[in-house]
Amino acid sequence: MWPPYLQLIRQHCSQALNILDRFHIVAKMNKALDEVRASEARQLVRDGYEPVLKKTRWCLLKRTQNLTGLQRIRLRDLLRYNLRSVRAYLLKEDFQQFWSYDSPTWAGKFLDQWCTQTLRSRIAAMKKIALTLRNHRELLLNYFRARKEFSSGVIEGLNNKAKVTMRKSYGFRTFRCLELALYHSFGKLPEPESSHEFFRRT
């Protein structure tokens, strides 16, 4: 969604269907929700209230089906409070319905309704997300126009794996060494059992 990137796509790939898919939107929404939670947790401590938001980060960010038993109980207790974090969480969960649509028209109607509701929520971080989604409405709906067949989740996974490989090695002296390390990491190439004859002796 970076404006210079979108401008380059328009200039050099004018016939391409630019898709903003689920991976990036969910990541941005989780970041906004975490900002709301962290800010409100600090405010509760400052005001001398019970720290009900302590150790609730993953309760709010994880998918419901991935919560542990203890996290489910914690989330259930948390939802009883009228907090900005709870309202932001409910907005985030409500938005998941967007991905269930097949028709771009109906997905667009849901998106418009969700953005209007969120802009009335008086939660700054969530309002910012709603404005971002509204400004990129057509790019979001391209996901449905492409029949949900394309996702950047796989590419993001590869990028993350490459970063982990580079971080584990603390850098490379040459690009060729980096290239070989990535081949081994991505391709799971066979490695020798040991590097010296000494270790093969019994």
Side-chain angles (χ1 to χ4, degrees), residues 9 13-19 138-139 142-143 145-146 150:
I9 292 293
C13 307
S14 57
Q15 301 302 313
L17 188 66
N18 196 352
I19 297 170
E138 290 308 307
L139 295 180
N142 282 346
Y143 177 66
R145 293 183 185 112
F150 300 96

Side-chain angles (χ1 to χ4, degrees), residues 118-182:
T118 304
L119 288 170
R120 292 174 181 163
S121 68
R122 293 185 291 180
I123 303 171
M126 297 304 288
K127 285 170 69 176
K128 186 178 177 182
I129 286 288
L131 287 171
T132 300
L133 297 183
R134 182 178 277 181
N135 291 336
H136 295 85
R137 184 181 189 274
E138 290 308 307
L139 295 180
L140 273 167
L141 297 183
N142 282 346
Y143 177 66
F144 301 94
R145 293 183 185 112
R147 299 174 184 170
K148 303 182 184 180
E149 291 181 6
F150 300 96
S151 171
S152 62
V154 173
I155 294 169
E156 293 298 329
L158 285 172
N159 284 344
N160 187 56
K161 196 167 184 181
K163 287 175 186 175
V164 169
T165 301
M166 289 186 278
R167 199 178 305 127
K168 280 165 58 177
S169 64
Y170 296 97
F172 295 94
R173 290 178 180 272
T174 65
F175 177 77
R176 179 63 180 156
C177 290
L178 167 61
E179 188 179 18
L180 290 171
L182 291 176

Side-chain angles (χ1 to χ4, degrees), residues 31-48:
K31 185 177 179 183
L33 173 57
D34 202 37
E35 284 176 17
V36 174
R37 180 202 58 80
S39 172
E40 192 168 32
R42 288 192 296 270
Q43 185 180 339
L44 287 172
V45 171
R46 279 197 307 268
D47 295 345

Side-chain angles (χ1 to χ4, degrees), residues 94-95 97-98 101-117 134 137-138 140-141 144-145:
D94 186 39
F95 188 79
Q97 185 181 337
F98 176 70
Y101 288 97
D102 292 320
S103 161
T105 304
W106 286 106
K109 286 181 179 180
F110 175 86
L111 179 62
D112 294 339
Q113 180 185 359
W114 186 89
C115 288
T116 301
Q117 180 187 358
R134 182 178 277 181
R137 184 181 189 274
E138 290 308 307
L140 273 167
L141 297 183
F144 301 94
R145 293 183 185 112

Side-chain angles (χ1 to χ4, degrees), residues 84-98:
R84 285 196 314 274
S85 301
V86 171
R87 295 199 303 276
Y89 170 78
L90 294 174
L91 285 169
K92 184 201 83 158
E93 287 299 302
D94 186 39
F95 188 79
Q96 298 309 311
Q97 185 181 337
F98 176 70

